[in-house]
Amino acid sequence: MDKSEEINLVVNHLIESWGELTQCLMQHPEMLVNSQLSYWNDFQSLYQDLSQVQSDSDKRFKHTEWQSNLLLNFIKKSYLLTSMHIETLINNIVEKENKEIAKKLRFFARQYIDAISPTNFANFNPEVLAKIAETNGENLLTGFKQLIEDIQQGNGRLNIKMTDTDLFKLGENIACTPGKIVYQNQLMQLIQYTTTTNKVYQFPLLIIPPWINKYYILDLQQENSLVKWLVDQGFVVFMISWVNPTIEHKDKQFSDYMFEGPLSALNIIKNITGEKQVNILGYCIGGTLLGCMLAYLSKKNHSTVLSATFLTTLLDFSEPGELGVFLDEKQINLLENHMKIKGYLDGRIMAAVFNTLRANDLIWASFINNYLKGQKPKPFDLLYWNSDATNIPADVHSFYLKNMYLHNLLVQKNKIKLADVSLDLSKIKVPSYFLAAHDDHIVPWATCFKGSQILNGPTQFVLTKSGHVAGVINPPHQKKYGYWITNKNNITAENFIAHAMFTEGSWWNHWVSWLKQYTGKMKNSNKMETKEVLEDAPGSYVKQTIYTETNNAL
């Protein structure tokens, strides 16, 4: 799929979606008329209220000029009013006709609304205007140079730089918790982190990160590294570091990620530690793989896993959130045709999709800073990780999209087979801890809750504030956010918060208290070390970036 084909795919999808909106409007002309009358009445009220200065919760309009300057205040209010009426029109008309179409239209409408924000235009943005006055317009020249550089780096596509990537070095100031690579195969390297306490918990912890991005989201800088915090708590921690696939991995299957990933890791961990049982944590799609593996092991009558922790994980895909906009039969078929050429999904495509889910934060904020203000992006470890994209083998991605997202087969008994073993999540009796994030734009928390109810072992569900990443990477010393928890039975997602107790601070402490039920006795840390070392952590796999021929952005 070349650039023109990518553009045609997006344009055709837009035409289809807006065509469906037009059809709905033609079927309900009275609703369209009422919407236009309501819009006109609200606009008249806006004129009358211009003299009233009121603060706005939208952080795009935090500058005082948006309130104090009469013209800018009018522009802002006009924009917000128009945005509200577009969303209301879609909700009132299309939602009643077809919820799936409404979901697509809401997404595309929001992309349009975000794009036309007056903050994105130099002649309206008071911060940009102040910068122009301060630099005599040099900021616009600098911004234009940075725009050209980003287009060149993106091989003709705009690849907005979100952070200063030169200030981060893997193994030095990010992904720098000490450890050793103790095993590797075609798909992963296994990291064993160096213990920092004299005594450690008997049963080790294996972490399965997602393979749609790099593992070090869980090991950013030392002050916000979950891995470092766990090691300092006395845990023996192992981490899977997935390879960044190339054409060499084109024949890999979803089941290979299970066998060459956590199942291989379990054997190595047993040999190193001498322990026959392990606790496992899976994050996002790593949690989905963990669910598949537990179902597989239950059919094999293995009791290797003592406990399972699922971080922002979908097992039930009935309501996948906004990602569902991109996942109908037609779009998946087009994506498959694209992946056949190289044998994998270009990681930049997946990154671009995720960025559009939070366009204001991940696209337009950088657009304003880099191109309008002419400033260099600030160093931010999370955005560095976000820009470090990974490829995905074609068959692996197709299997995941079709069986999970499109047909939701994982929650249906014996509908998915891995190595001729039919999976049944209801057979899983391992004690499980589910963490969902209230503002998650990738894994809706209510859908995560539904998945947690399928397993038949004791289950603890916790709902944290914030989103898919910030809600998870929340070290206790920061004293941020908080979480809801309840031990009541017969709770549904709809009434969970109403029946739950809210606790300020990080969920990390609560999780570790729960996990200690399954960690065994304390033992000397030197009994957990291995002499079979391939290289120092973070290893070579995590340093593999998108190759030159795939280093493109949408």
Side-chain angles (χ1 to χ4, degrees):
M1 185 184 291
D2 59 24
K3 297 171 192 174
S4 62
E5 288 175 317
E6 292 169 1
I7 293 172
N8 288 336
L9 174 59
V10 174
V11 170
N12 289 337
H13 198 51
L14 279 169
I15 291 173
E16 288 180 6
S17 298
W18 291 115
E20 289 161 343
L21 173 61
T22 302
Q23 185 176 0
C24 289
L25 293 176
M26 291 177 63
Q27 293 173 351
H28 302 279
E30 74 287 352
M31 289 187 177
L32 177 59
V33 172
N34 291 335
S35 176
Q36 291 174 329
L37 289 174
S38 176
Y39 181 55
W40 176 249
N41 289 332
D42 286 347
F43 225 100
Q44 286 188 316
S45 299
L46 185 153
Y47 277 110
Q48 298 171 3
D49 294 340
L50 275 179
S51 60
Q52 298 182 8
V53 177
Q54 58 187 40
S55 60
D56 198 286
S57 59
D58 193 322
K59 61 184 180 182
R60 291 175 295 178
F61 303 102
K62 63 183 179 180
H63 196 282
T64 56
E65 285 286 305
W66 289 112
Q67 279 69 247
S68 59
N69 184 293
L70 187 64
L71 175 60
L72 291 180
N73 189 30
F74 170 72
I75 291 172
K76 178 198 73 172
K77 288 183 176 180
S78 300
Y79 165 74
L80 294 175
L81 178 64
T82 302
S83 303
M84 181 191 71
H85 275 274
I86 291 174
E87 293 172 348
T88 301
L89 177 65
I90 293 173
N91 290 335
N92 288 348
I93 298 179
V94 186
E95 182 79 24
K96 297 177 181 179
E97 298 294 317
N98 189 312
K99 292 185 181 296
E100 290 303 313
I101 294 175
K103 188 183 299 183
K104 291 181 181 181
L105 285 170
R106 273 195 297 270
F107 174 81
F108 286 122
R110 197 179 75 242
Q111 300 305 308
Y112 170 73
I113 290 169
D114 290 347
I116 65 169
S117 170
T119 54
N120 298 335
F121 297 87
N123 53 333
F124 294 140
N125 192 318
E127 295 181 47
V128 177
L129 292 172
K131 200 72 177 176
I132 292 173
E134 176 188 337
T135 66
N136 291 321
E138 190 173 335
N139 59 300
L140 295 178
L141 179 60
T142 302
F144 184 71
K145 290 179 179 178
Q146 293 181 165
L147 172 65
I148 298 300
E149 290 173 2
D150 287 349
I151 292 176
Q152 290 174 339
Q153 185 179 12
N155 193 27
R157 299 177 177 88
L158 180 58
N159 182 20
I160 302 177
K161 185 178 291 187
M162 299 180 185
T163 186
D164 189 342
T165 56
D166 295 333
L167 294 183
F168 293 103
K169 301 295 181 184
L170 291 178
E172 295 181 15
N173 60 355
I174 195 169
C176 54
T177 301
K180 305 292 183 182
I181 305 300
V182 295
Y183 172 79
Q184 74 178 42
N185 56 34
Q186 283 190 315
L187 282 182
M188 67 95 171
Q189 288 186 320
L190 183 64
I191 304 171
Q192 179 181 7
Y193 289 98
T194 304
T195 56
T196 58
T197 56
N198 293 328
K199 295 284 187 178
V200 294
Y201 292 107
Q202 175 184 359
F203 298 115
L205 173 69
L206 170 64
I207 299 178
I208 311 172
W211 58 79
I212 58 177
N213 39 45
K214 301 290 182 69
Y215 83 83
Y216 63 87
I217 184 60
L218 299 171
D219 184 30
L220 292 169
Q221 299 184 82
Q222 294 292 275
E223 61 268 20
N224 59 356
S225 168
L226 176 61
V227 170
K228 175 70 165 57
W229 186 81
L230 285 169
V231 170
D232 290 344
Q233 298 290 313
F235 287 89
V236 178
V237 180
F238 291 82
M239 173 76 76
I240 290 175
S241 175
W242 299 107
V243 74
N244 201 340
T246 65
I247 189 67
E248 297 177 5
H249 303 89
K250 65 181 179 64
D251 295 324
K252 291 296 182 182
Q253 305 294 311
F254 188 90
S255 59
D256 293 323
Y257 271 76
M258 182 178 74
F259 285 107
E260 297 183 41
L263 286 179
S264 291
L266 288 176
N267 291 327
I268 302 302
I269 293 171
K270 290 177 186 177
N271 292 334
I272 291 175
T273 64
E275 299 297 339
K276 296 181 180 180
Q277 293 182 298
V278 177
N279 296 294
I280 305 184
L281 178 153
Y283 186 9
C284 190
I285 193 175
T288 306
L289 182 65
L290 173 57
C292 293
M293 186 186 74
L294 292 176
Y296 175 86
L297 291 176
S298 69
K299 288 288 184 75
K300 295 289 187 177
N301 294 317
H302 283 283
S303 57
T304 303
V305 183
L306 278 167
S307 75
T309 298
F310 298 87
L311 304 185
T312 59
T313 293
L314 287 179
L315 298 178
D316 183 317
F317 288 75
S318 56
E319 293 292 337
E322 290 191 334
L323 279 178
V325 170
F326 302 94
L327 299 172
D328 55 36
E329 194 83 50
K330 183 176 181 180
Q331 290 185 85
I332 291 176
N333 288 337
L334 288 170
L335 191 61
E336 285 182 328
N337 291 333
H338 160 64
M339 291 190 294
K340 284 179 182 178
I341 299 173
K342 296 180 178 179
Y344 57 84
L345 175 68
D346 186 331
R348 296 290 180 172
I349 294 178
M350 180 68 75
V353 168
F354 284 131
N355 288 344
T356 60
L357 299 181
R358 292 179 56 203
N360 279 329
D361 293 330
L362 296 179
I363 298 175
W364 293 113
S366 296
F367 175 88
I368 294 168
N369 181 79
N370 299 5
Y371 307 145
L372 301 187
K373 294 182 180 179
Q375 298 176 165
K376 292 286 186 181
K378 296 178 181 180
F380 187 18
D381 55 3
L382 201 154
L383 289 180
Y384 176 85
W385 165 84
N386 186 67
S387 65
D388 192 3
T390 56
N391 300 323
I392 307 172
D395 289 343
V396 175
H397 202 52
S398 292
F399 181 94
Y400 179 59
L401 294 183
K402 286 186 172 180
N403 288 280
M404 314 298 185
Y405 275 99
L406 194 59
H407 300 300
N408 196 24
L409 296 183
L410 186 56
V411 294
Q412 301 178 41
K413 295 181 180 181
N414 303 318
K415 291 293 185 180
I416 288 181
K417 283 187 176 183
L418 294 181
D420 295 325
V421 174
S422 300
L423 305 185
D424 183 355
L425 296 181
S426 67
K427 299 295 184 182
I428 299 173
K429 298 182 180 180
V430 174
S432 299
Y433 187 103
F434 280 80
L435 179 83
H438 186 271
D439 302 322
D440 198 330
H441 60 290
I442 296 173
V443 176
W445 78 263
T447 315
C448 180
F449 180 89
K450 289 174 65 177
S452 72
Q453 305 302 295
I454 300 168
L455 279 56
N456 267 323
T459 299
Q460 177 70 71
F461 181 85
V462 176
L463 178 64
T464 182
K465 280 188 173 182
S466 196
H468 189 75
V469 174
V472 173
I473 311 306
N474 183 24
H477 73 269
Q478 292 184 349
K479 298 180 180 180
K480 292 174 62 177
Y481 310 129
Y483 57 91
W484 292 269
I485 185 171
T486 180
N487 293 318
K488 293 183 179 180
N489 297 321
N490 301 319
I491 297 294
T492 64
E494 289 73 20
N495 62 18
F496 176 83
I497 292 180
H499 289 87
M501 179 182 70
F502 182 77
T503 301
E504 294 286 353
S506 173
W507 62 274
W508 289 15
N509 287 323
H510 179 271
W511 169 58
V512 164
S513 296
W514 174 89
L515 184 60
K516 285 179 180 179
Q517 302 173 81
Y518 313 104
T519 51
K521 60 186 179 181
M522 302 297 288
K523 59 192 299 186
N524 292 330
S525 58
N526 57 11
K527 293 183 179 181
M528 293 290 197
E529 302 296 332
T530 178
K531 295 181 181 179
E532 300 294 328
V533 175
L534 301 180
E535 59 179 315
D536 288 335
S540 55
Y541 280 17
V542 74
K543 295 178 181 179
Q544 298 168 347
T545 59
I546 303 291
Y547 292 160
T548 303
E549 64 269 22
T550 65
N551 193 18
N552 308 324
L554 287 178

